[in-house]
Amino acid sequence: MESTIGRRALIASGGFALAAGAAFAGAAPAVAATAVTKSARRIYYASDFGILPKATMPSTTDSDGRKYSAGKQGLPNVQAVGAPGTAATDQSEEINAFLQQIANVGGGIAVFEGNANQLIGYGVKKPIVMLSEVAIWGLGWNKTTFMLLDDANCSVFVNKPMSNLHDVRDLRINGNRWGQSFTDGLSYTGAGALLTGRHPANPDNWQFNSHGILMVPDYTNPSASMYGDTYSNFENIFVLNTYGSAAMTNKIGGEIRFRKIVSMQAGGNGFTAGHDTSLSDITVANSEYHGFMQQSGSTKFSNTKAFWCGQVLERWQVGGGGVKMRRAAAGYKIVNGICEFSSAEAQNCGAEGFLLDGAESVNGQIAALANNMLADASAASNGDGWGAIPDNYANDSVWKGQSSEPKPTPEDHPGVKLKGRSKYNNLSITSRTAGPQAGGLGQQGYALEIDYANGSVENNISVTHSDGYNGQRVKGILTPATPQGAISSNWILANGKPLSEAPR
């Protein structure tokens, strides 16, 4: 028989507090009035302990129908339920204490019911710490929501330092990117933003950014060394409006699995993945930088899609004005590692669909569709005349009209680019323009670029390059920057015909 819930005061034995700059508070957290006692079923509902959704995200729009943050009007971005204009209460300490109590009685499943209105959720201002002993489950991403409060300047879910075997599923994460300040590393001025090295797309400065799910050796100590595989699982999660990435795993041991995840409107990269991360049924949409970035190690991509990456659509919300710009961001950027693709697609991204930078032994089936938006100035595909921003997170001075490097062209960003010493790759590439589409979409003119001068050799590539637009968008298989030597040093099969007689 399942035991009853005790009514004694809950002892806070595991609350975690992360302030700006990763400082910790030692005071015991305020907690619910009931304590966890061991259950035969090991299922514990947050509502039984007085933990109910207390935060709301107003869905206010301006005269043009664009959503804006309440902070633009001097109001809280995340407000208390039923109290407009009042900041929501921080529930992170009582949630962390609840999870720790479950761990103390032997572990189990913590269920957060949430609310059927996705704009109502649990407000947190410190990370929710994932424990090995406790699975965190919601009732679906249309019911259970965790919202990052204003000026939290931290990630929403983090792993307990040096732990493994985490399990989070069936919920929504709202990163409230417009409510985060990072005033010591970010300054909005003039017609756009002047950003320093703590920019959300910089994966080496994770401690100064806000991610939906952050997996690092020790989130309290940026210099902690990497440890073994974590064997963690994340499933059926919707992540939107994070200041940084929806999820970041590149600083930790691998065997981390993400399945059925959607990332929307991330301020940095959609996913920053690393050692032995498995991504299955993942969609990244509207990230301001790359859809997927693998900085190190190896990642397995299965049925993944990145679209509209590199879109700078709402900078006006934080003082940047109503500018429309597109960034030279790739759907997938693989740096200094190996990986495997199975049905991976990039569509309508700012630059390359797939950028392999110093990557070796990358294998699989990839498709780049209608990318190169910012590089195409044709009125037929860029009727709104959107401007372009080079991909340079360390210095975005071009926002202020001071272009720091030449603007991209179709030749700069083909569907797939092999950059640096990218060797031993075995790729099946589908490169295709799309039919006429609204919203100022450009079209990729070239399918492939190979950086032969810097060591991109011994690759086995099959390319299908076709035009679904107007018969004039496709320019060629290889960009003009690809030298003749690249053809003889790689085996390239293009539209069923070999580009050379080079041996396999």
Side-chain angles (χ1 to χ4, degrees), residues 230-252:
T230 62
Y231 298 99
S232 298
N233 178 71
F234 302 89
E235 185 169 349
N236 197 29
I237 301 174
F238 194 108
V239 189
L240 73 158
N241 289 334
T242 53
Y243 179 87
S245 299
M248 179 174 176
T249 67
N250 67 314
K251 300 295 183 182
I252 200 168

Side-chain angles (χ1 to χ4, degrees), residues 420-423 451-457 459:
R421 189 181 175 86
S422 295
K423 303 176 64 176
D451 188 6
Y452 170 69
N454 290 303
S456 287
V457 297
N459 296 289

Side-chain angles (χ1 to χ4, degrees), residues 233-446:
N233 178 71
F234 302 89
E235 185 169 349
N236 197 29
I237 301 174
F238 194 108
V239 189
L240 73 158
N241 289 334
T242 53
Y243 179 87
S245 299
M248 179 174 176
T249 67
N250 67 314
K251 300 295 183 182
I252 200 168
E255 301 300 337
I256 303 170
R257 286 161 171 77
F258 292 89
R259 182 170 179 265
K260 295 184 179 179
I261 312 292
V262 173
S263 165
M264 291 194 67
Q265 298 178 355
N269 306 309
F271 269 74
T272 304
H275 302 271
D276 298 317
T277 297
S278 176
L279 303 174
S280 176
D281 301 307
I282 309 293
T283 296
V284 172
N286 298 90
S287 60
E288 191 163 311
Y289 279 78
H290 310 299
F292 299 91
M293 180 176 177
Q294 176 190 302
Q295 187 192 30
S296 57
S298 60
T299 303
K300 183 176 182 179
F301 299 88
S302 178
N303 192 27
T304 58
K305 181 179 180 179
F307 69 94
W308 281 90
C309 299
Q311 305 310 298
V312 187
L313 300 176
E314 301 179 85
R315 182 60 62 187
W316 59 275
Q317 291 186 325
V318 286
V323 295
K324 291 182 178 180
M325 294 183 178
R326 297 176 295 187
R327 189 181 300 283
Y332 299 74
K333 184 175 181 180
I334 310 300
V335 183
N336 297 328
I338 62 175
C339 69
E340 181 178 348
F341 290 108
S342 176
S343 298
E345 177 182 336
Q347 179 179 342
N348 300 340
C349 296
E352 298 86 5
F354 297 81
L355 174 59
L356 277 58
D357 188 354
E360 297 189 358
S361 300
V362 173
N363 301 292
Q365 176 186 1
I366 59 181
L369 309 178
N371 294 295
N372 241 349
M373 291 183 297
L374 57 76
D376 195 336
S378 168
S381 57
N382 188 10
D384 294 337
W386 285 25
I389 310 174
D391 180 19
N392 182 355
Y393 63 72
N395 180 10
D396 278 346
S397 61
V398 294
W399 283 80
K400 303 168 70 174
Q402 302 169 2
S403 183
S404 59
E405 54 188 273
K407 291 186 177 181
T409 66
E411 289 78 7
D412 295 328
H413 300 289
V416 178
K417 178 185 288 188
L418 274 61
K419 183 179 178 181
R421 189 181 175 86
S422 295
K423 303 176 64 176
Y424 317 126
N425 297 306
N426 185 13
L427 301 173
S428 175
I429 300 170
T430 299
S431 172
R432 182 173 68 83
T433 65
Q437 301 179 63
L441 299 183
Q443 306 290 340
Q444 62 198 39
Y446 298 90

Side-chain angles (χ1 to χ4, degrees), residues 102-117:
I102 297 174
N104 292 346
V105 296
I109 301 171
V111 179
F112 294 84
E113 300 100 312
N115 188 289
N117 184 346

Side-chain angles (χ1 to χ4, degrees), residues 474-486:
V474 165
K475 299 180 182 298
I477 299 294
L478 299 176
T479 63
T482 302
Q484 184 68 25

